[in-house]
Amino acid sequence: MTHPARYWHREGERIVCTACPRLCTLSEGQHGFCYVRKHEDGQLVSLAYGKPNAVAVDPIEKKPLWHFLPGTTILSMGTAGCNLGCRFCQNWDLSKAKSHHKRALELAPKDVPVLARREGAASVAFTYNDPTIYPEYVIDAARAARAAGVSPVGVTAGYISDAARADMYPMLDALNIDLKGFTERFYHKLTFSHLQPVLETIEWSVKQGIWVELTTLVIPGHNDDPEELRAQFRWIAEHVGPDVPLHLTAFHPDYKLQDIPATPPETLIRARDEARGFGLRFVYTGNIWDRVGSVTSCPGCELPLIERRWHAVAANRVKVDGTCPGCNAKVPGVFDARSQTTSGGRRYHLL
C-alpha cells in the first residue's frame, strides 16, 4: 500500500523528489535514496505513510530534549530508511533497512495521539531515522496530536528542502536537530550530505519560534578537533543565541566505524567547558555519566534546577510557569504542570 507524496515535479518522463536537498531524479519504478519515496504509475508515492517500523515509549530526555516537558514520557516512532548515509549511524538497523524488510505497524495519523494517551505519553516523537523522508505522515499525525493535546516533536538531521520544512516544522512543538560536524568535508565524506542546508534549517527553526535543541555526536579523529568545535560553538552563539541547548554526546563503535574508539569522557567535558566559554548557557554531555554535565542551572542565580541520572529526572525545581523558584528568572524551554513529575528513564517497545 502506498500514499500520494508531496514535494515533487516532473522532468520529462522522470520525477524529481524535492523533499530534501538530495533531489533524487527517478524513472518509473525507482526508489529515492531513502528508499521510501518511489516513482510509481507516473507519480511520487510514500511507502512509509502510516507505517512505523519501530514504536516505543521513551523518557523525553532520551531524544535528547532536556528543556521540553522534562520528566515526561514520549511515544517514539520511526520508519525504515533515511535520506542521509551516515557511516556512524547508531540506528543503522532501521535507517539502512528498506521498508519491506522490516515489520511495520499500521498506524493512521488519527490513531497516533490515541496510542500516546493510552501509554501515558505527553508527546509523540518522529525519530530513530529521519522524519524528512515521510513529511506527509508527520504533518497529518502532528495535526491530530495537537488537536488531542499531545505535543508533536521531531528528531532530525535538518537536511530538508525549504518547502517541506515550511510545511512540516511549524506543525511540531520542538525539534532536536543533529549538527553532526562543522566542516563540509565531514558532511560529505561521513554523511553523504552537505553542511550549509543544515545550518540554514537550524537558523530558520529558531527564528520561527520552535523550541530547538542541538546534538553533536563527537567522533574521535573525525569531528573532535578543538578548532572545529570552537568554530561550531562560535557559530551557535552568533547565529541562534546562547539559550539553545547543546548536547555533546559520546560515540561508540557502530555500523561502518567500528574501528574508531569510543569518545573519551574527558573530550566531552573539555568541549562543554569551551562551549560555555563562548557564552552558551546550556551545554550537556551525553552517553557518559557526568553529574555536572547533566544539571540544568538557573541562568540568573545558578541554582541547580533539574538534576538527572542518565535519562531519569531526579529533581525538577522549575516552576510551572518556567521560572526559577530562587530568583524568578525565566528558564528557556517549554514547561508546564506535566513537567513537574519524574520519569524512570526506561524505554519499552510497542513494536
Side-chain angles (χ1 to χ4, degrees):
M1 295 178 62
T2 62
H3 187 277
R6 307 181 197 177
Y7 315 111
W8 60 276
H9 64 259
R10 294 186 189 281
E11 286 189 0
E13 294 186 355
R14 296 187 184 187
I15 278 177
V16 179
C17 176
T18 58
C20 85
R22 197 169 290 283
L23 299 176
C24 294
T25 301
L26 311 174
S27 298
E28 177 68 38
Q30 281 190 315
H31 299 77
F33 182 92
C34 65
Y35 215 83
V36 298
R37 301 176 77 76
K38 180 184 180 184
H39 183 173
E40 186 174 277
D41 297 330
Q43 64 176 342
L44 189 69
V45 298
S46 170
L47 307 179
Y49 188 98
K51 297 173 185 169
N53 295 88
V55 184
V57 176
D58 292 317
I60 199 164
E61 286 73 25
K62 196 173 178 63
K63 295 302 95 187
L65 284 167
W66 284 16
H67 288 235
F68 185 86
L69 305 179
T72 61
T73 54
I74 185 165
L75 179 70
S76 300
M77 64 180 66
T79 72
C82 190
N83 66 324
L84 268 67
C86 300
R87 296 176 58 82
F88 49 87
C89 182
Q90 310 215 330
N91 282 324
W92 64 270
D93 56 332
L94 190 68
S95 67
K96 303 309 174 187
K98 297 175 173 60
S99 56
H100 62 277
H101 288 171
K102 302 284 284 186
R103 183 166 57 96
L105 177 70
E106 295 287 340
L107 191 64
K110 65 181 178 60
D111 295 327
V112 170
V114 175
L115 181 58
R117 286 190 169 278
R118 189 192 81 187
E119 299 299 324
S123 50
V124 56
F126 305 97
T127 180
Y128 301 143
N129 58 340
D130 200 303
T132 297
I133 67 175
Y134 53 97
E136 301 85 3
Y137 181 52
V138 174
I139 291 167
D140 292 347
R143 183 178 292 113
R146 276 185 172 171
V150 175
S151 296
V153 165
V155 180
T156 177
Y159 196 61
I160 189 170
S161 69
D162 292 351
R165 183 178 63 205
D167 289 343
M168 183 169 76
Y169 282 17
M171 299 300 300
L172 303 172
D173 294 340
L175 287 163
N176 185 290
I177 303 175
D178 282 340
L179 182 51
K180 294 178 182 288
F182 207 68
T183 65
E184 174 61 19
R185 181 178 183 274
F186 176 90
Y187 264 85
H188 176 67
K189 291 194 69 172
L190 270 77
T191 76
F192 305 150
S193 65
H194 301 284
L195 172 61
Q196 189 57 37
V198 178
L199 299 181
E200 292 171 4
T201 289
I202 293 169
E203 285 195 87
W204 185 92
S205 301
V206 172
K207 288 178 181 177
Q208 290 295 308
I210 304 165
W211 179 251
V212 173
E213 303 190 24
L214 304 176
T215 297
T216 298
L217 184 72
V218 181
I219 306 172
H222 287 282
N223 64 354
D224 63 341
D225 178 76
E227 285 301 319
E228 178 181 339
L229 287 169
R230 291 183 195 116
Q232 175 178 325
F233 303 151
R234 186 181 298 110
W235 183 90
I236 293 170
E238 293 176 354
H239 288 259
V240 296
D243 290 338
V244 172
L246 172 63
H247 302 265
L248 300 169
T249 60
F251 164 84
H252 61 79
D254 216 336
Y255 194 44
K256 295 185 178 181
L257 289 189
Q258 296 194 33
D259 58 334
I260 303 297
T263 313
E266 54 269 24
T267 297
L268 299 185
I269 294 169
R270 182 171 58 248
R272 176 183 179 271
D273 290 342
E274 290 216 1
R276 287 172 58 82
F278 279 89
L280 304 186
R281 299 202 286 182
F282 304 102
V283 187
Y284 303 108
T285 53
N287 292 345
I288 63 168
W289 171 241
D290 173 21
R291 187 186 65 80
V292 174
S294 300
V295 173
T296 298
S297 297
C298 173
C301 67
E302 294 294 322
L303 178 72
L305 296 177
I306 306 175
E307 299 177 32
R308 303 173 181 87
R309 295 193 182 103
W310 294 102
H311 297 125
V313 174
N316 183 1
R317 302 178 183 93
V318 180
K319 295 193 291 187
V320 173
D321 63 357
T323 59
C324 171
C327 68
N328 290 319
K330 180 69 175 175
V331 183
V334 178
F335 307 91
D336 62 25
R338 294 172 291 177
S339 59
Q340 298 307 298
T341 60
T342 59
S343 67
R346 296 186 190 86
R347 161 189 289 182
Y348 60 90
H349 293 272
L350 301 175
L351 177 62

